[in-house]
């Protein structure tokens, strides 16, 4: 057998083994998604809240008390925000329906002025008839939704349980996990893990700041222009900001659509301008300054990670893809560095420790 052919076959065989291992791992993650997703979300929340626990500890608050204070405060803030959003959504739905009736008449007038003869009211009636014709399918879907709600509640409980122990005993848990590495590489793995978590802390912190700015900017714009459901839409923008690229586009489109339905095309154009201005601020100022310092990821890598996450696990995959890529990138950079610092010199809760300094990578 010719040497080039033998080398090519050996490379292909190894690539097939690696691909098979990755496929098996993805299959197991999907099958165990009820466990994997809550734990992954708990890790993200730990990266966000652990610095607060450390801050309280430095002020001589016992770790158990600090963990309890952070958890209670976080749950109270989340519950208050959800209550406010739900109440605003319920109160604003009636006004939105009334404005929708007026907007349908205005939309019909616009359609009559175009060459396309479209009966907007007839289209709405056809949609209603379609929903009624598929009532049985919708009912069966409601049953599966009830099952999904049960899974969500179970996942929330698991996430809360895992978060408490990660905040309280995270260092001991990591100390146990690093024992799985070979003895001769254990110190480098320890440093790589610390840098990976520091990178995750920086990513989560920067993403939360970007999400707050997006929600405030677009929410204030919706409130000033008189668009109903401004608070729920601002909350939607905040959540969407955690999905790079896709989240901003989708949530911005929803805000513009509601402005068009409720207030007409003039307000919709103003809201579109506000959304584009906020997104430009995010893309050219906030993302490079905040996320650029936290994680060093090429925009193409981010886009491909989001696309792969959507294909593999839908919205949850898009949410977790970029943090996972950031963690893996920081760990690989640490492992391939010619030399590394001692584990005690790397603080996993300090974002600037997410990547090895130039003195360890050999780069000027």
């Amino acid at each position: 057998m010719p040497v080039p052919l033998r080398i090519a076959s050996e490379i292909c065989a190894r690539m097939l083994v690696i691909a098979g291992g990755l496929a098996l791992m993805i299959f197991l993650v999907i099958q165990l998604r009820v466990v994997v997703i809550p734990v992954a979300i708990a890790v993200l929340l730990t990266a966000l809240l652990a610095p607060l626990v450390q801050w309280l500890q430095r002020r001589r608050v016992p770790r158990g008390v600090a963990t309890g204070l952070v958890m209670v405060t976080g749950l109270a803030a989340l519950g208050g925000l959800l209550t406010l959003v739900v109440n605003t959504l319920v109160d604003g739905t009636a006004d939105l329906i009334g404005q929708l009736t007026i907007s349908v008449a205005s939309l019909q007038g616009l359609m009559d002025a175009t060459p396309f003869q479209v009966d907007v009211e007839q289209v709405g009636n056809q949609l209603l008839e379609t929903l009624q014709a598929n009532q049985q399918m919708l009912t069966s879907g409601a049953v599966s939704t009830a099952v999904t709600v049960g899974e969500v509640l179970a996942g929330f409980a698991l996430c809360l349980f895992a978060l408490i122990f990660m905040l309280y005993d995270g260092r001991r848990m990591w100390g146990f996990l690093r024992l799985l590495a070979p003895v001769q590489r254990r110190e480098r793995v320890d440093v790589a893990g610390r840098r990976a978590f520091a990178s995750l802390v920086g990513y989560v912190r920067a993403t939360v700041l970007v999400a707050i700015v997006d929600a405030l900017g677009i929410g204030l714009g919706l409130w000033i222009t008189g668009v109903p459901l401004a608070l729920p839409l601002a909350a939607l923008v905040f959540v969407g900001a955690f999905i790079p690229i896709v989240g901003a586009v989708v949530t911005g489109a929803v805000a513009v659509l509601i402005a068009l339905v409720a207030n007409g095309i003039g307000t919709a154009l103003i809201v579109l301008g506000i959304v584009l201005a906020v997104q430009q601020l995010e893309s050219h100022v906030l993302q490079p300054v905040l996320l650029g310092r936290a994680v060093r990821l090429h925009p193409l890598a981010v886009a491909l990670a989001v696309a792969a996450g959507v294909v593999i696990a839908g919205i949850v995959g898009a949410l977790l893809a970029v943090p996972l890529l950031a963690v893996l990138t920081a760990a690989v950079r640490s492992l391939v560095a010619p030399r590394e610092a001692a584990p005690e010199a790397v603080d996993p809760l300090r974002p600037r420790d997410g990547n090895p300094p130039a003195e360890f990578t050999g780069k000027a």
Side-chain angles (χ1 to χ4, degrees), residues 134-158:
N134 293 275
Q135 185 175 3
Q136 183 177 2
M137 182 182 65
L138 292 174
T139 304
S140 62
V143 176
S144 63
T145 302
V147 177
T148 304
V149 170
E151 292 181 354
V152 169
L153 293 177
F156 177 77
L158 177 60

Side-chain angles (χ1 to χ4, degrees), residues 152-336:
V152 169
L153 293 177
F156 177 77
L158 177 60
C159 177
L160 190 64
F161 187 75
L163 177 60
I164 293 173
F165 280 97
M166 288 180 185
L167 289 175
Y168 178 73
D169 214 15
R171 292 183 182 273
R172 188 182 302 178
M173 294 167 66
W174 170 245
F176 172 77
L177 290 176
R178 70 186 183 91
L179 294 178
L180 301 176
V183 177
Q184 62 273 20
R185 300 288 295 174
R186 188 168 295 166
E187 185 172 313
R188 289 300 296 267
V189 170
D190 189 7
V191 176
R194 290 168 177 262
R195 293 202 185 278
F197 195 78
S199 179
L200 183 62
V201 170
Y203 172 83
V204 173
R205 185 181 300 175
T207 303
V208 169
L209 292 176
V210 171
I212 291 174
V213 173
D214 286 356
L216 287 177
I218 296 178
L220 286 175
L222 294 172
W223 178 70
I224 292 172
T225 54
V227 177
L229 307 179
L231 183 60
L233 288 174
L236 180 64
V237 171
F238 177 82
V239 175
F242 286 88
I243 304 177
I245 303 173
V246 178
V249 175
V250 173
T251 55
V254 171
V256 173
L257 181 60
I258 295 219
L260 174 63
V261 171
N263 294 54
I265 189 170
T267 304
L269 291 176
I270 295 175
V271 172
L272 177 61
I274 294 172
V275 170
L276 291 177
V278 171
Q279 290 181 358
Q280 290 300 313
L281 174 66
E282 174 189 341
S283 301
H284 294 92
V285 179
L286 298 177
Q287 294 277 7
V289 172
L290 298 177
L291 282 178
R293 292 178 179 177
V295 291
R296 301 173 186 174
L297 296 178
H298 194 276
L300 179 60
V302 173
L304 292 177
V306 172
V310 170
V311 172
I312 295 173
I315 296 178
V316 177
L319 174 67
L320 300 177
V322 179
L324 178 61
L325 180 63
V327 167
L328 292 177
T329 302
V332 169
R333 282 175 178 158
S334 176
L335 291 173
V336 301

